[in-house]
Amino acid sequence: MKQRSEFEKVVYDGGFRTLLSRDQIDQRIREMGKQITEDYRGKQPIMIAVLNGAFLFMADLIRHVEIDLEVDFIKISSYGDAKVSSGEVRMLKDINAEIQGRHVLLVEDIVDTGLSIGFLHEKFMAMQPASLRFVSFLIKPENVKTDIPIHYIGFEIPNEFVVGYGLDYKQILRNLPAVYVME
Ligand code: IMP
């Protein structure tokens, strides 16, 4: 018999628990987009997605932000293929845009320990933006070890490893349409 893919196991075999449904995600992203629209009206922010995890979230979010904005992408790595942070952040792809004097929104998939946003905060503050705010689709409040404010949070979730909607396990399962807990 053909071996089941990890995708099939999640979607069809019920081996994973749904934490956030597609409807919940859509509704929350619409609210977040509205809030950002109101907060940034009259400005032209640059929204920078932190790859790879935030690509889906940012793509959906900006369709609900009804002002002029720019996008860019940055790629960092802290986890490798593990389920726990390696404690070290590496820059894998830098942005191209000029940041000085700009209103910057850094868009993350998930804040776990906060190590990644700590690294990004230091890097971007050194570039003298007009303002810098973080947006995160998910946050695990029990794990966070940083005081850096996250202005826009999609959902607070328990300390469990999640996949789907951009979030991976060993680089796969990002294409799942909802968020699932890997048991
Ligand atoms: P932090 O630096 O500890 O806050 O970790 C942030 C990064 O770890 C995220 O951008 C994700 O790439 C990854 N990460 C943390 N928790 C999870 C999870 O539950 N599933 C998938 N990736 C995660």
Side-chain angles (χ1 to χ4, degrees):
M1 202 181 88
K2 189 172 134 293
Q3 214 193 331
R4 303 287 273 170
S5 69
E6 294 302 318
F7 185 94
E8 287 169 321
K9 284 183 202 166
V10 180
V11 175
Y12 305 120
D13 298 351
F16 293 61
R17 182 159 46 87
T18 307
L19 189 67
L20 300 167
S21 70
R22 185 64 235 210
D23 280 352
Q24 278 175 289
I25 295 170
D26 284 347
Q27 196 194 325
R28 183 71 191 115
I29 289 180
R30 218 170 290 132
E31 290 167 1
M32 294 175 87
K34 201 166 165 226
Q35 187 66 54
I36 293 171
T37 303
E38 283 166 19
D39 294 352
Y40 286 84
R41 209 178 284 288
K43 302 185 175 122
Q44 186 172 312
I46 176 161
M47 296 182 66
I48 302 172
V50 184
L51 297 173
N52 289 336
F55 78 105
L56 265 184
F57 171 52
M58 184 153 99
D60 284 345
L61 178 64
I62 62 168
R63 280 178 269 196
H64 297 288
V65 181
E66 299 180 345
I67 53 169
D68 290 342
L69 59 87
E70 294 172 37
V71 298
D72 207 338
F73 301 88
I74 193 167
K75 186 167 180 173
I76 60 170
S77 151
S78 63
Y79 273 37
D81 279 343
K83 276 196 198 172
V84 288
S85 172
S86 63
E88 186 194 321
V89 181
R90 283 183 302 130
M91 171 72 74
L92 302 176
K93 177 206 170 294
D94 211 339
I95 44 159
N96 303 315
E98 181 64 50
I99 291 306
Q100 191 173 14
R102 302 297 311 275
H103 293 286
V104 177
L105 281 156
L106 280 166
V107 182
E108 269 279 15
D109 54 351
I110 185 165
V111 176
D112 183 7
T113 62
L115 191 75
S116 305
I117 63 164
F119 171 86
L120 293 168
H121 187 262
E122 196 179 316
K123 176 182 165 64
F124 278 82
M125 286 312 284
M127 293 190 262
Q128 301 178 305
S131 68
L132 176 65
R133 283 184 173 180
F134 283 93
V135 186
S136 190
F137 172 52
L138 304 176
I139 185 168
K140 294 179 185 169
E142 290 162 50
N143 274 9
V144 177
K145 294 177 190 68
T146 175
D147 296 333
I148 295 168
I150 301 147
H151 278 88
Y152 308 96
I153 294 170
F155 299 91
E156 294 191 353
I157 64 164
N159 186 16
E160 291 177 296
F161 196 82
V162 292
V163 292
Y165 198 68
L167 292 132
D168 74 306
Y169 175 58
K170 296 192 175 176
Q171 299 306 328
I172 58 171
L173 300 176
R174 293 189 199 274
N175 52 328
L176 293 167
V179 175
Y180 299 84
V181 176
M182 274 187 82
E183 309 280 14

